[in-house]
Amino acid sequence: MEGRTGDDASLVDRLRRGDPRAFEDLVIAYQHRVFGVALRMLGNRAEAEELAQEVFLRVHRAIGEFRGEAKLSTWLYAIASRLCLNRLASGERRMARHGDEALTRLASREISPAEEVERSELETALHRAIAELGEERRIVVVLRDLEGLSYEELTTALEREVGTVRSRLHRARMDLREKLERFLP
Amino acid sequence: MSCHDAREQFSALIDDALDAGERAALDAHLATCADCRRELQRFRDTLGLVRAAAPVHAPAGFVDRVLEATRPVPWPRRLVRDLFLPWPVKLPMEAAAIVLVAVGVALVYRGSPELEQSIRQEPAAPVMTQAPRDTPPEVKASAPARENEDSRELYGARREKAREQDTPREPEKAKEAPRAQERVQEFAKEPGAVSRDANLQKAPKSPDSQAPVIGKLEAPASGAERQRAAKDNVRSGTTQPTERRADSLKAQRPASAPPTAAAPSVTSAFVPPDVSGQLAVSDRELALRSLKELAARLRAVETRRFDTSDGPIIELAVPRETYAELNSGLARLGRWRPGKEPSTLPATIRVVVRITG
């Protein structure tokens, strides 16, 4: 994956030195992952882009505070996760939310009818199943199973105990297993 | 290990997050439980589906938009943005401003009747003091500029006086018109003080003494203009009543009412009437006719007359002998409230009657 093979330490050094190209490289390297987390959490492309921009703006402002104790990617995921959860928890969202049904509609609304035909039924069901998860479970699944973070990175990014992360991840996967059962061989 | 306990560890098993002991116990259970083995396989298949989800890509131009957003904003744009944003700050300020204006307007409207009343009862208000024939024309020519300044000052002071009854006085406003304030206070102390008024008007180089005349006598303008000016008085808020009044006077005077002998012009040689008062009636026309008959019967002569938005103002020259009868006649026409009479009455008494109702 792009960005992961890059030298994060070098990138951080360049960012701290004020290299004008460094920030652009950072955005190029992580744009899809940050946007992906935002989209899967919020279910709306415009809102996801706005939030992803906010993530990079915060990084731009606070790069001097990054101590390098965690990976750069973990720091980015931590910022993105916190912003997503805060937005979902607050009344800031432009669209009214009415529990999981609203999330389902959000997920469906993301694709046009034409896309719906093209996209496999499985893909649609998968998207919907993830969208229907509770927010705390959804972020764990997104970071672990879609973004590939380790347990250690998960606990750092989400600032949760490993037991909490494990438990939420397991519950989320069990939910998905039930929702996707008809697609299983 | 039960099936339930075993299945609770499927996630950790797949993620290779079990310690050796947990792993051994789970393996032992799976070796003997076909259901759990099948369930584990379905669990793995589910994760396979999830992890195979199509990757998400940021929209085209995303990088450029982020970079654009991080560029420093030029100071003029920053200034504009600071002025108009952020909304969480701007909106409450705007709301507070609206509330302030609304409260101000409400106070002015509430205070208007009192203001009107206080102006009506001031002895200087009728101003029907002296016929212009007594005024040298050259004096008039220099008057307007000072008149406007004075009217602004005094009008502001009057409003202050009226407002003092309801709200605490603001020190800045008090400073604006200290002299006018002083005079208004004097009037308030002695409502019928014709002699004091006269003294003020006789004071040398004292344009202030003319101010009550102007404040009251925007009458020389046409009727429509008077009405408009009266509306202005009512509508104007606390912020700029004096300026509007003065401006309207500036606009009116040169166009429609240059000081002429016929007009109740403002001069430094005004002499106040001997007696002025207010006659409240139910029918103005009837009162006017009755007053005319009364005057004719008492050998009184109508020397001047004004029609103001508040009602007609009539000046009569009454022989001393019939003055008492005039008073009683006026009392019969309506609610006659004369001001203070001079201690010694002249042979011909000039009486100003303001008819209201």
Side-chain angles (χ1 to χ4, degrees), chain A residues 72-95:
Chain A
L72 180 61
S73 59
T74 306
W75 188 46
L76 280 163
Y77 282 125
I79 296 172
S81 303
R82 199 176 309 128
L83 288 177
C84 285
L85 292 174
N86 287 347
R87 183 170 291 218
L88 289 167
S90 73
E92 199 180 336
R93 304 197 68 191
R94 295 195 189 97
M95 289 183 219

Side-chain angles (χ1 to χ4, degrees), chain B residues 123 126 194 273-278 336-340 350-353:
Chain B
V194 176
D274 299 305
V275 175
S276 64
Q278 183 175 323
W336 168 237
R337 290 189 296 172
K340 188 180 177 184
R350 292 189 305 106
V351 179
V352 167
V353 180

Side-chain angles (χ1 to χ4, degrees), chain A residues 24 31-32 35 40 45 49 52-53 57 123 126 144-146 151 166 169-171 173-174 177 181 185, chain B residues 7-8 11-12 15 17 39 42-43 45-47 49-51 53-54 57-59 63 65 67 70:
Chain A
E24 185 176 352
Q31 58 173 326
H32 302 304
F35 178 77
R40 289 190 165 109
R45 291 189 75 84
E49 180 176 349
Q53 276 198 28
L57 291 178
E123 192 71 24
L126 179 60
R144 171 64 188 155
D145 291 330
L146 297 173
Y151 275 39
R166 266 174 68 163
L169 182 60
H170 181 70
R171 297 287 158 226
R173 285 167 169 174
M174 293 294 279
R177 184 216 164 289
E181 183 155 22
Chain B
R7 291 174 188 186
E8 284 297 302
S11 245
D15 290 332
E39 187 58 31
R42 297 179 79 77
F43 200 84
D45 291 342
T46 302
L47 279 191
L49 291 177
V50 174
R51 289 175 176 175
H57 293 284
V63 175
R65 287 192 286 278
L67 295 177
T70 57

Side-chain angles (χ1 to χ4, degrees), chain B residues 191-253:
Chain B
V194 176
S195 57
R196 183 185 298 279
D197 192 24
N199 288 338
L200 281 169
Q201 292 180 11
K202 287 173 187 170
K205 294 183 181 178
S206 174
D208 290 356
S209 62
Q210 300 165 9
V213 177
I214 297 157
K216 199 66 205 171
L217 269 200
E218 42 188 320
S222 68
E225 285 170 328
R226 280 199 304 274
Q227 286 179 358
R228 193 166 56 242
K231 283 179 185 172
D232 282 350
N233 288 344
V234 173
R235 285 178 189 161
S236 58
T238 54
T239 51
Q240 49 181 5
T242 58
E243 287 80 3
R244 292 183 64 173
R245 180 63 162 254
D247 289 348
S248 70
L249 283 169
K250 279 180 191 170
Q252 287 172 15
R253 205 170 285 280

